[in-house]
Amino acid sequence: MALAVAFFSGIDVTAKWLTLAGLPVIQIVFIRYLVHFALGLAIYFPLEGKDVFHSHAPARQILRSFFLFGGTIFNFTALKHLPITVTTAINFAQPIVITLLAIPILGERVGIRRVLAVCAGFFGVLIVIQPWGAEFDWALFYSLTTLLIASLYFIMTRMLAGVESNSTQQIWSSGLAVAALMPFAIPIWIWPDAPLEWTILLLIGAFGFFGHSATAIAHRWADASILAPMIYSQAIWAVLAGIFIFQSWPSIWTYIGSIVIACSGLYIWRRESGKEIKSANV
């Protein structure tokens, strides 16, 4: 799972680099999923044949896929304008948003302690984005939209757990993204000028494929409650990339907000982990 988080951090770093290089966001997202789809076909089709395309829940697969690449579009747009440490800090609130969304969508019950943890996490997000400050950037709404859409993607992933295979989910999510984005990417296409840009374009799709593959393997070996805290290791990669690649240091408020959000998310994780242990004992 830590390896998967490193790959996902690689997506953010390469996406920010490519947007700053002047490539359109839609083109970058299209290439990210095109390479992902090509790798998926090359690996899974020889093993499973046409069965890899068969879905037991096509409507949910389509909705899940649109949430995935929709979140990617907003995330890459946010990365064009915001430091990678800020977008990463906001992304840390995913466990909190998923907890809230699970109430009406999945029918889960949430106690008062988890509600308070969610409120604390929301306060941490406010510390990071500082909507009251003079330096507030409206591009933060791209990152907040990413947070919501990505959380809905994970809710849909929960709903498909045990229904679809990992290979089918990978093929559908990447293939639908390619089909949906192609009409928008081709008219605005900009050919990269240097071999380095081509290399990074290919890397962004590979990071996506191997990141999702590593996530699937991790969930076969361990419970989700054990793996969840690994998302916070992304802070290390974000800080390193910000300093050494983009020459930007995180502000003290980003540090403080990240700690508040992480503590809130870890508390929710411990509550979930405790519930799973009790269920296993029963």
Side-chain angles (χ1 to χ4, degrees):
M1 193 64 196
L3 180 62
V5 172
F7 281 130
F8 294 145
S9 300
I11 293 176
D12 286 352
V13 172
T14 50
K16 184 172 181 65
W17 193 93
L18 289 166
T19 57
L20 294 177
L23 293 182
V25 170
I26 295 296
Q27 179 181 340
I28 299 170
V29 178
F30 173 71
I31 292 293
R32 176 254 183 275
Y33 285 107
L34 179 62
V35 175
H36 187 153
F37 182 63
L39 286 171
L41 281 181
I43 293 173
Y44 295 127
F45 189 76
L47 297 174
E48 302 182 28
K50 294 180 180 179
D51 289 342
V52 76
F53 299 105
H54 178 69
S55 172
H56 298 286
R60 280 179 283 175
Q61 277 284 17
I62 292 172
L63 189 59
R64 175 181 177 273
S65 301
F66 273 86
F67 284 146
L68 178 59
F69 78 77
T72 305
I73 292 172
F74 281 103
N75 184 41
F76 287 6
T77 305
L79 285 164
K80 184 176 182 179
H81 302 282
L82 300 171
I84 194 170
T85 49
V86 171
T87 59
T88 299
I90 293 174
N91 184 57
F92 284 169
Q94 267 189 22
I96 300 164
V97 177
I98 291 171
T99 297
L100 288 175
L101 292 174
I103 300 172
I105 298 176
L106 300 179
E108 295 184 4
R109 295 184 178 182
V110 178
I112 185 63
R113 292 181 181 177
R114 283 175 65 188
V115 170
L116 292 175
V118 167
C119 292
F122 177 70
F123 179 68
V125 173
L126 291 179
I127 292 174
V128 173
I129 67 178
Q130 297 187 70
W132 55 80
E135 297 183 358
F136 176 77
D137 193 327
W138 289 99
L140 285 162
F141 283 108
Y142 291 125
S143 198
L144 292 171
T145 303
T146 300
L147 174 62
L148 176 60
I149 297 177
S151 298
L152 287 168
Y153 160 76
F154 283 109
I155 289 288
M156 293 304 303
T157 300
R158 280 192 191 182
M159 294 175 69
L160 286 167
V163 177
E164 298 279 42
S165 67
N166 169 56
S167 55
T168 299
Q169 293 197 55
Q170 291 238 40
I171 292 296
W172 271 68
S173 61
S174 57
L176 285 172
V178 170
L181 293 172
M182 185 180 293
F184 303 98
I186 299 302
I188 61 172
W189 190 270
I190 296 177
W191 290 102
D193 296 325
L196 178 60
E197 292 181 1
W198 279 109
T199 301
I200 293 177
L201 272 173
L202 294 175
L203 275 177
I204 195 171
F207 285 149
F209 175 80
F210 290 113
H212 283 283
S213 297
T215 301
I217 294 170
H219 281 83
R220 286 204 301 267
W221 290 350
D223 292 336
S225 61
I226 296 173
L227 302 173
M230 286 296 102
I231 188 177
Y232 298 117
S233 66
Q234 191 172 6
I236 301 171
W237 300 111
V239 170
L240 292 175
I243 294 172
F244 294 107
I245 299 178
F246 304 110
Q247 290 77 51
S248 64
W249 287 80
S251 69
I252 186 62
W253 298 113
T254 301
Y255 280 123
I256 294 173
S258 298
I259 292 171
V260 173
I261 296 169
C263 288
S264 172
L266 287 171
Y267 177 81
I268 291 173
W269 160 70
R270 287 195 63 187
R271 297 284 294 176
E272 289 293 320
S273 181
K275 285 167 60 180
E276 287 193 12
I277 292 172
K278 288 179 181 178
S279 297
N281 290 338
V282 171

